[in-house]
Amino acid sequence: LSRGAMVVAARAVATNVPAPSCIDTLSTSPPSGYGVDLGGLADLTLTNCGLTDDAAFNAGAGVTVAASSIGVVGGTSDNGASITPTPVPISFPGMSDPLSSVVTAPPASEYTSGCQADPNISTNQTIGPSSPTSYVCYEGLTISGSPTVTLNPGLYIIDGERLSAYSFSVSGGATVNGTTGVTFYFVNNGSFTFNGATMNLTAPTTSTTSVGINSGILFYQDSGDTAADTFKGGSAGNINGIFYLPAANLTFQNGNASTFSTDLVVGSLTMTGNAQLTPYAPPSGASPLSSPTLVE
Protein backbone atom coordinates (compact mmCIF):
# COMPACT_ATOMS: atom_id res chain seq x y z
CA LEU A 1 0.00 0.00 0.00
CA SER A 2 3.08 2.26 0.01
CA ARG A 3 2.30 3.46 3.54
CA GLY A 4 4.43 3.04 6.65
CA ALA A 5 1.47 3.07 9.09
CA MET A 6 -2.33 2.95 9.08
CA VAL A 7 -5.03 3.65 11.69
CA VAL A 8 -7.57 0.84 11.96
CA ALA A 9 -10.88 1.51 13.74
CA ALA A 10 -13.73 -0.76 14.70
CA ARG A 11 -17.19 -0.30 16.23
CA ALA A 12 -19.41 -2.68 18.15
CA VAL A 13 -22.84 -2.15 19.70
CA ALA A 14 -24.39 -4.38 22.36
CA THR A 15 -27.70 -4.37 24.19
CA ASN A 16 -29.33 -6.33 27.00
CA VAL A 17 -31.82 -8.95 25.84
CA PRO A 18 -34.00 -11.32 27.90
CA ALA A 19 -32.57 -14.71 28.84
CA PRO A 20 -33.48 -17.43 26.31
CA SER A 21 -35.35 -19.46 28.94
CA CYS A 22 -38.00 -18.22 31.37
CA ILE A 23 -38.15 -21.49 33.34
CA ASP A 24 -34.98 -22.99 34.81
CA THR A 25 -35.25 -25.93 37.22
CA LEU A 26 -32.01 -26.47 39.14
CA SER A 27 -32.45 -29.55 41.33
CA THR A 28 -30.72 -32.69 40.07
CA SER A 29 -32.72 -34.88 42.49
CA PRO A 30 -36.15 -33.26 42.94
CA PRO A 31 -38.84 -34.80 45.22
CA SER A 32 -40.86 -36.34 42.36
CA GLY A 33 -37.76 -37.39 40.43
CA TYR A 34 -38.67 -34.85 37.72
CA GLY A 35 -37.42 -31.31 37.38
CA VAL A 36 -40.57 -30.54 35.40
CA ASP A 37 -43.57 -32.76 36.19
CA LEU A 38 -46.76 -31.95 34.25
CA GLY A 39 -49.91 -33.96 34.93
CA GLY A 40 -53.69 -33.82 34.82
CA LEU A 41 -54.68 -31.53 31.95
CA ALA A 42 -51.84 -29.10 32.50
CA ASP A 43 -51.37 -26.47 29.80
CA LEU A 44 -48.01 -24.70 29.99
CA THR A 45 -47.52 -21.97 27.42
CA LEU A 46 -44.25 -20.01 27.36
CA THR A 47 -44.43 -16.98 25.09
CA ASN A 48 -41.13 -16.22 23.31
CA CYS A 49 -38.97 -18.16 25.75
CA GLY A 50 -37.78 -21.65 26.58
CA LEU A 51 -37.35 -24.11 29.41
CA THR A 52 -34.31 -25.86 30.90
CA ASP A 53 -34.52 -28.83 33.25
CA ASP A 54 -31.51 -30.10 35.21
CA ALA A 55 -33.27 -33.42 35.98
CA ALA A 56 -35.84 -35.51 34.09
CA PHE A 57 -38.94 -34.22 32.28
CA ASN A 58 -42.45 -35.69 32.51
CA ALA A 59 -45.60 -34.69 30.63
CA GLY A 60 -48.64 -36.92 31.04
CA ALA A 61 -51.43 -37.71 28.59
CA GLY A 62 -53.61 -34.68 27.90
CA VAL A 63 -50.83 -32.24 28.75
CA THR A 64 -49.96 -29.41 26.36
CA VAL A 65 -46.56 -27.70 26.40
CA ALA A 66 -45.53 -24.87 24.09
CA ALA A 67 -42.11 -23.21 24.33
CA SER A 68 -39.45 -21.80 22.02
CA SER A 69 -37.02 -24.50 23.23
CA ILE A 70 -36.86 -27.28 25.83
CA GLY A 71 -33.60 -28.70 27.16
CA VAL A 72 -33.47 -31.64 29.57
CA VAL A 73 -30.52 -33.25 31.36
CA GLY A 74 -32.24 -36.50 32.37
CA GLY A 75 -34.70 -38.69 30.52
CA THR A 76 -37.97 -37.55 28.97
CA SER A 77 -41.37 -39.16 29.41
CA ASP A 78 -44.08 -37.59 27.25
CA ASN A 79 -46.85 -40.24 27.44
CA GLY A 80 -48.67 -38.84 24.43
CA ALA A 81 -48.55 -35.20 25.53
CA SER A 82 -48.61 -32.42 22.96
CA ILE A 83 -45.18 -30.79 23.07
CA THR A 84 -43.91 -27.91 20.97
CA PRO A 85 -41.26 -27.70 19.66
CA THR A 86 -40.89 -31.20 18.27
CA PRO A 87 -39.15 -33.59 18.51
CA VAL A 88 -39.31 -34.27 22.23
CA PRO A 89 -37.06 -32.14 24.50
CA ILE A 90 -33.39 -32.17 23.59
CA SER A 91 -30.61 -33.29 25.89
CA PHE A 92 -28.27 -30.62 27.23
CA PRO A 93 -25.40 -30.63 29.76
CA GLY A 94 -27.18 -28.73 32.56
CA MET A 95 -27.41 -25.20 33.83
CA SER A 96 -25.89 -23.48 36.83
CA ASP A 97 -27.91 -21.05 38.93
CA PRO A 98 -28.13 -17.89 36.79
CA LEU A 99 -28.89 -15.65 39.79
CA SER A 100 -26.48 -16.92 42.44
CA SER A 101 -23.92 -14.21 41.70
CA VAL A 102 -26.49 -11.50 41.01
CA VAL A 103 -28.91 -11.58 43.96
CA THR A 104 -28.00 -10.46 47.49
CA ALA A 105 -29.72 -12.09 50.48
CA PRO A 106 -30.93 -10.00 53.43
CA PRO A 107 -28.51 -9.86 56.38
CA ALA A 108 -29.34 -12.56 58.93
CA SER A 109 -29.56 -9.86 61.60
CA GLU A 110 -32.86 -8.74 60.04
CA TYR A 111 -34.61 -11.90 61.22
CA THR A 112 -32.49 -13.66 63.86
CA SER A 113 -33.11 -10.85 66.35
CA GLY A 114 -36.86 -11.58 66.33
CA CYS A 115 -39.79 -10.93 64.02
CA GLN A 116 -43.38 -9.79 64.43
CA ALA A 117 -46.00 -12.42 65.16
CA ASP A 118 -48.39 -13.45 62.37
CA PRO A 119 -51.00 -10.64 62.17
CA ASN A 120 -53.72 -13.07 60.90
CA ILE A 121 -55.45 -10.48 58.71
CA SER A 122 -59.16 -10.74 57.88
CA THR A 123 -60.11 -7.06 57.44
CA ASN A 124 -59.12 -4.35 54.95
CA GLN A 125 -55.81 -2.78 55.89
CA THR A 126 -52.37 -1.61 54.76
CA ILE A 127 -49.24 -3.30 56.07
CA GLY A 128 -45.52 -3.42 55.45
CA PRO A 129 -42.28 -1.48 55.65
CA SER A 130 -42.13 2.20 56.50
CA SER A 131 -40.26 3.05 53.28
CA PRO A 132 -39.50 1.40 49.91
CA THR A 133 -35.88 0.85 50.99
CA SER A 134 -36.65 -0.86 54.28
CA TYR A 135 -38.05 -4.18 55.46
CA VAL A 136 -40.48 -5.84 57.83
CA CYS A 137 -40.16 -9.36 59.25
CA TYR A 138 -43.05 -11.66 60.16
CA GLU A 139 -43.01 -15.07 61.82
CA GLY A 140 -45.89 -15.85 59.46
CA LEU A 141 -48.36 -13.89 57.36
CA THR A 142 -51.91 -15.25 57.09
CA ILE A 143 -54.62 -13.44 55.10
CA SER A 144 -58.07 -15.07 54.99
CA GLY A 145 -61.72 -14.25 54.49
CA SER A 146 -62.29 -11.62 51.79
CA PRO A 147 -60.32 -8.51 52.78
CA THR A 148 -58.38 -6.22 50.48
CA VAL A 149 -54.84 -5.88 51.81
CA THR A 150 -52.48 -3.24 50.45
CA LEU A 151 -48.75 -3.88 50.75
CA ASN A 152 -46.36 -0.97 51.18
CA PRO A 153 -43.29 -1.19 48.91
CA GLY A 154 -40.17 -2.80 50.32
CA LEU A 155 -38.95 -6.17 51.62
CA TYR A 156 -41.14 -8.70 53.46
CA ILE A 157 -39.12 -11.32 55.32
CA ILE A 158 -41.11 -14.44 56.23
CA ASP A 159 -39.29 -16.51 58.85
CA GLY A 160 -40.83 -19.97 59.11
CA GLU A 161 -38.69 -21.23 61.97
CA ARG A 162 -41.60 -21.44 64.46
CA LEU A 163 -44.21 -22.72 62.00
CA SER A 164 -45.16 -26.20 60.80
CA ALA A 165 -47.05 -25.16 57.64
CA TYR A 166 -46.97 -22.49 54.96
CA SER A 167 -45.60 -19.23 56.30
CA PHE A 168 -47.34 -16.88 53.85
CA SER A 169 -50.92 -18.03 53.27
CA VAL A 170 -53.64 -16.18 51.36
CA SER A 171 -57.06 -17.79 50.88
CA GLY A 172 -60.83 -17.39 50.88
CA GLY A 173 -61.25 -14.74 48.22
CA ALA A 174 -58.78 -12.25 49.69
CA THR A 175 -57.21 -9.61 47.44
CA VAL A 176 -53.58 -8.61 48.00
CA ASN A 177 -52.22 -5.57 46.17
CA GLY A 178 -48.51 -4.88 46.16
CA THR A 179 -47.88 -3.13 42.85
CA THR A 180 -45.34 -0.47 43.84
CA GLY A 181 -42.34 -2.76 44.31
CA VAL A 182 -42.41 -5.65 46.81
CA THR A 183 -40.11 -8.60 47.48
CA PHE A 184 -40.84 -11.60 49.72
CA TYR A 185 -37.87 -13.41 51.26
CA PHE A 186 -38.47 -16.85 52.81
CA VAL A 187 -36.07 -18.46 55.26
CA ASN A 188 -36.03 -21.24 57.89
CA ASN A 189 -38.66 -23.44 56.21
CA GLY A 190 -40.65 -20.43 55.06
CA SER A 191 -42.89 -20.85 51.99
CA PHE A 192 -46.15 -19.62 50.44
CA THR A 193 -49.55 -20.90 49.35
CA PHE A 194 -52.24 -18.93 47.53
CA ASN A 195 -55.66 -20.57 47.33
CA GLY A 196 -58.62 -18.82 45.70
CA ALA A 197 -56.93 -15.45 46.19
CA THR A 198 -56.35 -12.48 43.91
CA MET A 199 -52.68 -11.51 43.98
CA ASN A 200 -51.54 -8.33 42.23
CA LEU A 201 -47.81 -8.15 42.87
CA THR A 202 -44.96 -6.30 41.16
CA ALA A 203 -41.25 -6.61 41.95
CA PRO A 204 -39.10 -3.52 42.64
CA THR A 205 -37.22 -1.95 39.74
CA THR A 206 -34.35 -0.65 41.90
CA SER A 207 -32.14 -2.45 44.40
CA THR A 208 -31.24 -1.73 48.00
CA THR A 209 -28.86 -4.62 48.50
CA SER A 210 -27.88 -3.49 52.01
CA VAL A 211 -31.24 -4.80 53.22
CA GLY A 212 -31.71 -7.52 50.58
CA ILE A 213 -33.96 -5.77 48.06
CA ASN A 214 -33.04 -6.91 44.55
CA SER A 215 -34.44 -5.35 41.39
CA GLY A 216 -36.77 -7.73 39.57
CA ILE A 217 -37.02 -10.32 42.36
CA LEU A 218 -40.58 -10.87 43.61
CA PHE A 219 -40.23 -14.15 45.54
CA TYR A 220 -36.83 -15.17 46.95
CA GLN A 221 -36.45 -18.36 48.96
CA ASP A 222 -33.18 -18.97 50.76
CA SER A 223 -31.03 -21.58 49.02
CA GLY A 224 -31.13 -23.74 52.17
CA ASP A 225 -34.94 -23.62 52.36
CA THR A 226 -36.59 -26.57 50.56
CA ALA A 227 -40.20 -25.98 51.72
CA ALA A 228 -42.68 -26.28 48.82
CA ASP A 229 -44.64 -23.33 47.37
CA THR A 230 -48.09 -23.47 45.77
CA PHE A 231 -50.58 -21.54 43.62
CA LYS A 232 -53.83 -23.44 44.14
CA GLY A 233 -57.06 -23.52 42.16
CA GLY A 234 -58.97 -20.28 41.70
CA SER A 235 -56.00 -17.96 42.27
CA ALA A 236 -56.01 -14.94 39.98
CA GLY A 237 -54.40 -11.52 39.50
CA ASN A 238 -51.26 -10.13 37.91
CA ILE A 239 -47.80 -11.36 38.87
CA ASN A 240 -44.84 -9.31 37.64
CA GLY A 241 -41.40 -10.38 38.77
CA ILE A 242 -39.00 -13.29 39.13
CA PHE A 243 -39.56 -16.37 41.29
CA TYR A 244 -36.14 -17.25 42.73
CA LEU A 245 -36.69 -20.48 44.69
CA PRO A 246 -33.46 -22.35 43.89
CA ALA A 247 -34.02 -25.37 46.17
CA ALA A 248 -37.83 -25.49 46.38
CA ASN A 249 -40.63 -27.11 44.40
CA LEU A 250 -43.20 -24.74 42.90
CA THR A 251 -46.67 -26.14 42.14
CA PHE A 252 -49.40 -24.67 39.96
CA GLN A 253 -52.65 -26.50 40.72
CA ASN A 254 -55.98 -26.59 38.92
CA GLY A 255 -57.66 -23.47 37.62
CA ASN A 256 -54.95 -20.88 38.11
CA ALA A 257 -56.14 -17.75 36.28
CA SER A 258 -53.25 -15.44 37.12
CA THR A 259 -51.41 -13.47 34.45
CA PHE A 260 -47.69 -14.07 34.79
CA SER A 261 -44.95 -11.79 33.51
CA THR A 262 -42.22 -13.75 35.16
CA ASP A 263 -39.17 -15.98 35.00
CA LEU A 264 -38.96 -19.06 37.22
CA VAL A 265 -35.62 -20.10 38.69
CA VAL A 266 -36.75 -22.93 40.95
CA GLY A 267 -35.63 -26.28 42.30
CA SER A 268 -38.44 -28.07 40.43
CA LEU A 269 -41.83 -27.36 38.89
CA THR A 270 -45.06 -29.36 39.23
CA MET A 271 -48.25 -28.54 37.32
CA THR A 272 -51.75 -30.00 37.29
CA GLY A 273 -53.46 -26.92 35.84
CA ASN A 274 -52.89 -24.06 33.44
CA ALA A 275 -50.23 -21.38 33.38
CA GLN A 276 -49.31 -18.94 30.63
CA LEU A 277 -45.98 -17.24 31.17
CA THR A 278 -44.33 -14.39 29.33
CA PRO A 279 -40.76 -13.40 30.25
CA TYR A 280 -40.43 -10.82 33.00
CA ALA A 281 -40.24 -7.34 31.49
CA PRO A 282 -39.58 -4.70 34.17
CA PRO A 283 -41.37 -1.33 33.84
CA SER A 284 -37.91 0.28 33.84
CA GLY A 285 -34.31 -0.93 33.70
CA ALA A 286 -33.12 -4.40 32.76
CA SER A 287 -34.09 -7.77 34.20
CA PRO A 288 -31.38 -9.47 36.28
CA LEU A 289 -31.79 -12.41 33.91
CA SER A 290 -31.00 -10.37 30.81
CA SER A 291 -27.62 -10.67 29.12
CA PRO A 292 -25.56 -8.49 26.77
CA THR A 293 -25.75 -9.45 23.11
CA LEU A 294 -23.85 -8.01 20.15
CA VAL A 295 -26.27 -6.31 17.75
CA GLU A 296 -23.86 -4.41 15.48
Side-chain angles (χ1 to χ4, degrees):
L1 299 177
S2 301
R3 298 187 63 176
M6 295 179 64
V7 176
V8 178
R11 179 175 183 267
V13 178
T15 188
N16 279 317
V17 298
S21 57
C22 54
I23 294 181
D24 299 309
T25 65
L26 305 178
S27 177
T28 56
S29 55
S32 70
Y34 299 105
V36 176
D37 189 5
L38 311 176
L41 297 176
D43 183 348
L44 176 61
T45 302
L46 308 183
T47 303
N48 299 322
C49 64
L51 176 154
T52 66
D53 179 354
D54 275 5
F57 179 94
N58 178 59
V63 168
T64 301
V65 183
S68 60
S69 62
I70 302 175
V72 178
V73 171
T76 297
S77 175
D78 65 16
N79 298 308
S82 173
I83 301 177
T84 304
T86 55
V88 294
I90 63 171
S91 177
F92 88 122
M95 182 170 183
S96 59
D97 185 340
L99 290 173
S100 61
S101 62
V102 177
V103 173
T104 300
S109 59
E110 294 179 2
Y111 51 88
T112 53
S113 59
C115 299
Q116 299 179 39
D118 187 337
N120 283 295
I121 297 170
S122 59
T123 59
N124 297 351
Q125 56 186 282
T126 298
I127 64 170
S130 58
S131 78
T133 58
S134 61
Y135 69 94
V136 65
C137 181
Y138 295 110
E139 291 180 350
L141 179 56
T142 303
I143 302 173
S144 59
S146 55
T148 296
V149 178
T150 301
L151 303 178
N152 288 330
L155 174 66
Y156 293 74
I157 298 174
I158 310 296
D159 185 353
E161 185 173 22
R162 301 187 182 186
L163 303 175
S164 59
Y166 294 101
S167 311
F168 181 20
S169 174
V170 186
S171 62
T175 297
V176 179
N177 297 319
T179 58
T180 52
V182 295
T183 295
F184 298 91
Y185 177 73
F186 301 92
V187 68
N188 293 327
N189 207 41
S191 60
F192 63 80
T193 180
F194 306 138
N195 185 7
T198 297
M199 309 295 295
N200 298 306
L201 304 173
T202 300
T205 56
T206 58
S207 298
T208 307
T209 54
S210 59
V211 299
I213 297 173
N214 298 271
S215 174
I217 305 299
L218 181 58
F219 295 106
Y220 178 10
Q221 194 157 318
D222 185 81
S223 60
D225 187 343
T226 60
D229 304 291
T230 306
F231 274 84
K232 291 187 177 181
S235 298
N238 293 281
I239 307 297
N240 300 288
I242 295 170
F243 289 59
Y244 183 39
L245 321 169
N249 176 259
L250 173 64
T251 296
F252 291 113
Q253 289 187 349
N254 300 329
N256 195 300
S258 300
T259 299
F260 292 93
S261 170
T262 184
D263 298 298
L264 307 180
V265 180
V266 299
S268 55
L269 175 67
T270 302
M271 282 185 60
T272 57
N274 301 335
Q276 296 189 17
L277 276 62
T278 59
Y280 171 60
S284 62
S287 166
L289 281 172
S290 60
S291 59
T293 296
L294 189 67
V295 295
E296 181 182 336

